[in-house]
């Protein structure tokens, strides 16, 4: 294919993207590249069959959005399996503990609430993770000088050492998780997952107490504002 043909196709895709774009704000190059990568025709991958032959109406009523949600859960479970293997010989015992430490490694300190919210956890579960990390002396806590009602947490030198020793194995986990994806597919997936995270994070922080039906209504409003 000649340069002219490639350029012509890019321009055609740009016009298609412009016609389909529903955001209230101007799009940027990252938005277009995400669309461009996701719109390319790829041969369908081999897929394992999950559904049996009974009650076919159940299978027929599974839309693509439901299928994506289920595939995300499955792939999360694969990732957890790899993470557990990486943590086998570490004093960091769970993926949640690792996640808390990796965030604290990039901040001088955070309040407990800030840390828990960044990791998308319920408060009770997040507090339990923090207690375990304190007991292992991987983090320490101290009073917030600006707000006596909150407690700050920070990573200890021991925590930094444990994390540094674990990071090479986590690199192997990352390579396992992306599996057989090509570099362009990895870039597309990263773009799309970050886009979804930005969208869902606002819902989690501000509206998680709503019912599913009310969350859906709120999400439709958020879609129009992003």
């Amino acid at each position: 294919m000649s340069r002219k043909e490639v350029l012509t196709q890019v321009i055609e895709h740009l016009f298609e993207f412009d016609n389909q774009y529903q955001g209230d704000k101007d799009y940027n190059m990252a938005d277009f590249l995400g669309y461009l990568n996701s719109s390319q025709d790829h041969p369908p991958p081999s897929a394992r069959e999950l559904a049996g032959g009974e009650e076919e109406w159940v299978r027929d009523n599974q839309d693509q959005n439901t299928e994506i949600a289920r595939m995300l859960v499955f792939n999360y479970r694969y990732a957890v399996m790899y993470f557990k293997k990486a943590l086998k010989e570490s004093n960091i015992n769970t993926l949640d503990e690792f996640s808390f430490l990796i965030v604290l490694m990039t901040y001088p300190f955070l309040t407990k609430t800030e840390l828990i919210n960044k990791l998308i956890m319920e408060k009770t579960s997040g507090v339990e993770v923090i207690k375990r990390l304190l007991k292992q002396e991987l983090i320490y806590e101290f009073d917030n000088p600006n707000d006596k009602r909150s407690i700050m947490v920070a990573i200890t030198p021991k925590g930094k050492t444990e994390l540094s020793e674990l990071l090479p194995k986590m690199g192997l986990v990352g390579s396992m998780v992306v599996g057989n994806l090509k570099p362009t597919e990895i870039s597309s997936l990263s773009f799309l997952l970050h886009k979804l995270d930005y969208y869902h994070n606002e819902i989690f922080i501000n509206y998680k107490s709503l019912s599913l039906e009310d969350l859906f209504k709120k999400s439709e409003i958020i879609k129009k504002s992003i």
Side-chain angles (χ1 to χ4, degrees), residues 173-204:
V173 171
S175 296
M176 288 294 297
V177 168
V178 298
N180 59 345
L181 297 182
K182 297 177 181 177
T184 54
E185 293 171 327
I186 293 172
S187 296
S188 296
L189 180 60
S190 177
F191 170 82
L192 294 173
L193 290 176
H194 277 89
K195 185 173 182 178
L196 277 175
D197 175 69
Y198 182 81
Y199 164 75
H200 288 295
N201 190 256
E202 180 177 351
I203 295 174
F204 175 81

Side-chain angles (χ1 to χ4, degrees), residues 6-223:
V6 172
L7 182 59
T8 300
Q9 287 193 14
V10 170
I11 293 173
E12 289 174 352
H13 280 300
L14 177 58
F15 277 106
E16 290 172 5
F17 171 66
D18 186 72
N19 288 331
Q20 294 180 25
Y21 187 74
Q22 299 296 319
D24 292 337
K25 302 176 182 177
D26 291 339
Y27 53 77
N28 55 35
M29 180 60 73
D31 295 319
F32 175 58
L33 289 176
Y35 164 82
L36 194 62
N37 284 326
S38 62
S39 66
Q40 298 307 295
D41 294 327
H42 299 290
S46 300
R48 60 192 179 94
E49 184 61 59
L50 295 174
E54 301 296 321
E55 302 289 354
E56 292 186 3
W57 64 270
V58 175
R59 179 183 58 200
D60 295 339
N61 283 279
Q62 295 288 312
D63 62 18
Q64 189 177 50
N65 293 345
T66 304
E67 182 72 5
I68 289 173
R70 185 165 60 165
M71 287 298 107
L72 285 173
V73 171
F74 286 172
N75 280 281
Y76 165 76
R77 290 173 181 164
Y78 298 139
V80 168
M81 177 184 70
Y82 302 138
F83 274 116
K84 285 182 178 179
K85 292 181 181 298
L87 296 172
K88 191 173 182 180
E89 298 176 359
S90 173
N91 289 321
I92 300 171
N93 297 312
T94 68
L95 176 56
D96 288 332
E97 291 177 10
F98 170 79
S99 299
F100 274 52
L101 290 174
I102 201 72
V103 169
L104 284 174
M105 191 78 152
T106 63
Y107 288 92
F109 48 80
L110 288 170
T111 68
K112 291 183 178 181
T113 299
E114 287 173 335
L115 180 59
I116 291 169
N117 283 339
K118 285 182 181 295
L119 274 300
I120 320 300
M121 294 187 71
E122 296 294 335
K123 184 175 181 180
T124 52
S125 300
V127 168
E128 288 303 313
V129 176
I130 290 174
K131 286 181 179 178
R132 294 199 302 268
L133 292 173
L134 288 169
K135 186 176 181 180
Q136 298 174 81
E137 298 181 343
L138 299 176
I139 65 173
Y140 67 97
E141 63 181 359
F142 55 95
D143 292 335
N144 185 344
N146 300 318
D147 184 355
K148 298 301 182 182
R149 296 171 298 177
S150 65
I151 302 296
M152 313 297 289
V153 288
I155 192 169
T156 64
K158 179 181 177 181
K160 291 181 179 180
T161 299
E162 289 286 342
L163 199 58
S164 298
E165 292 176 352
L166 188 58
L167 284 178
K169 286 191 175 182
M170 287 304 178
L172 296 179
V173 171
S175 296
M176 288 294 297
V177 168
V178 298
N180 59 345
L181 297 182
K182 297 177 181 177
T184 54
E185 293 171 327
I186 293 172
S187 296
S188 296
L189 180 60
S190 177
F191 170 82
L192 294 173
L193 290 176
H194 277 89
K195 185 173 182 178
L196 277 175
D197 175 69
Y198 182 81
Y199 164 75
H200 288 295
N201 190 256
E202 180 177 351
I203 295 174
F204 175 81
I205 296 299
N206 299 310
Y207 309 110
K208 60 183 174 183
S209 62
L210 298 180
S211 67
L212 179 61
E213 290 76 15
D214 288 338
L215 276 178
F216 176 76
K217 294 176 183 177
K218 178 62 68 174
S219 72
E220 293 300 298
I221 296 173
I222 294 174
K223 285 179 185 178

